[in-house]
Amino acid sequence: MTNTLSATYPLSSYVPLRTTAAWPYYEEIKSLPIGYGTVTIQPIRYNTSGLVLFLFDHPIAGVDRVTIDGNPAAFNFYNALDHLGFPCSFVSLTTPVTTTAGVEVTARGKMHQTTGTVMTHPADVIADIMAIARSTYSESNLDVFRRECNELGLNEISGALDNNQQTTRAYLDEIALSLGAVWSGAMPGLFRLFPRTMPADEPIWQEYDEKNTSGVSCSANIRDYYSVLKIKYGWNYATGTPAQAMTLSAIEPTKTRRVDHEIELKWMHRGRLVYGIGSRLLQHRSRPIWRIRFDSGFDSQGYSTITHPLIPVSDTSLVLSRTVSPMRPGGSYEMQIAAGTVPEIEILQRSENF
Amino acid sequence: MLYSPGHSRADFVDYLCYPLLRNIGAIRTTVSIDGGGENASTSAELDNGWSLELVELFSIPPLFSECEVYDRTGAHSFSGFITEVTLGESPSMRITS
């Protein structure tokens, strides 16, 4: 199997954002951000008078709000070319801002080049980031992931690429975590939602059992367990902090120990979606998870079934780890299956501006 | 209770007893230089038995369950809770204090 992401730029490269150093004059070197969905950023002063502020390194759909030191300010938004002829977005103010003023702009970011609407669908955003990263990965490869997101109503993310010292891989990790998803360049579909019940129309790659596997073992470890999940979300890129938090707990009749865990869903802003993602994660992680490892001569890169007398669970799940060698047939695989009944999830706490 | 075959279980008549214990590993105690906390653990090698009893017994792995280890004389040698369970051809579990 070939890695479908054998791009000229590896994903471990820094995301290739332009910087203010591209302009004839600049106050300090900053990455020129790229924004998706409704996102709040700190704009970059574009001229010395402080009347024009640079927003994104692309045209955007609009600006909802500009505040200076917390106070709303009058503004005029426009898309225009920068000094070098690149299409960008700006706001002009009626009163100049100083270099020390705390300016925040909430804008509706990059538009889809075909539909012209603000790009918020995870599959569209990921495809755009892959294009920015100069990956050869085709947008159509995300079709399965797009269907999965639509099925679970995960059709809206917001965030920004704002740091050219962060790798493309790290940005994809942020998005995957924000969606309750996993990703791998070697996995068909690139991104898949996980954990989740198998989609109804999903093909099963392999049916593994004692006849086509060897070296089967499974282990469950407390490291994989938590019962309370604190989620920080609604990222404000101007302050570098999340704006909201939600704490979920698994209601388990046999719960003996509370283990807390905290995650940041940087690209997620809707509480309803955050609750859905958190519930999915917690319903998986608040149960003992069997990590099932085995060798087989039959390859799998997707949903597969495992049944074996040496392991106590039998189910269909995504193959999460696959080790193959070009020198010998077959490979080593790992799947995760949670044991026990699926718990109900309750909201313990929900807060804003903490 | 899991005990070693041939080993007396007279003191544990109140428990369901399974002769599935093969060996108890060394008790390892380390201290962390990042905070200095003690971490003691041991492992138990288990025997799945002919009828793969462990697979059924541990279908819900007993993570976080309290665990006491006694030596062949019945003397208490370690207390902890189960932090890892492994099933397969070499089943085992890890017990951490």
Side-chain angles (χ1 to χ4, degrees), chain A residues 111-192:
Chain A
M111 294 169 285
H112 194 281
Q113 62 181 9
T114 307
T115 64
T117 56
V118 178
M119 205 184 295
T120 58
H121 196 287
D124 291 333
V125 172
I126 292 164
D128 196 63
I129 293 173
M130 298 303 266
I132 291 167
R134 298 163 203 168
S135 162
T136 55
Y137 206 82
S138 160
E139 184 172 350
S140 63
N141 287 15
L142 287 158
D143 286 350
V144 173
F145 179 62
R146 184 185 299 277
R147 281 202 304 275
E148 271 197 305
C149 289
N150 291 342
E151 184 191 340
L152 299 193
L154 289 171
N155 51 13
E156 187 178 344
I157 58 174
S158 298
L161 311 181
D162 63 341
N163 182 359
N164 71 346
Q165 297 297 301
Q166 184 167 327
T167 64
T168 306
R169 186 174 291 279
Y171 277 115
L172 295 179
D173 286 347
E174 275 181 10
I175 294 175
L177 178 62
S178 296
L179 290 164
V182 293
W183 76 276
S184 164
M187 185 170 65
L190 185 62
F191 272 67
R192 298 303 304 263

Side-chain angles (χ1 to χ4, degrees), chain A residues 308-324:
Chain A
H308 197 282
L310 286 177
I311 59 174
V313 284
S314 172
D315 206 347
T316 305
S317 183
L318 205 56
V319 169
L320 293 178
S321 174
R322 173 177 173 273
T323 306
V324 294

Side-chain angles (χ1 to χ4, degrees), chain A residues 215-222 225 256-257 259 288 290 309-313 339-340, chain B residues 48 52 54-56 58-61 63-64 66 81-89:
Chain A
V216 176
S217 72
C218 64
S219 62
N221 194 303
I222 60 167
Y225 174 87
T256 55
R257 188 169 294 238
V259 177
W290 286 113
L310 286 177
I311 59 174
V313 284
Chain B
N48 226 331
L52 301 176
L54 276 178
V55 174
E56 188 177 347
F58 287 174
S59 60
I60 305 292
L63 298 177
F64 296 111
E66 291 181 8
F81 62 99
I82 299 172
T83 53
E84 185 176 18
V85 174
T86 301
L87 294 178
E89 288 166 8

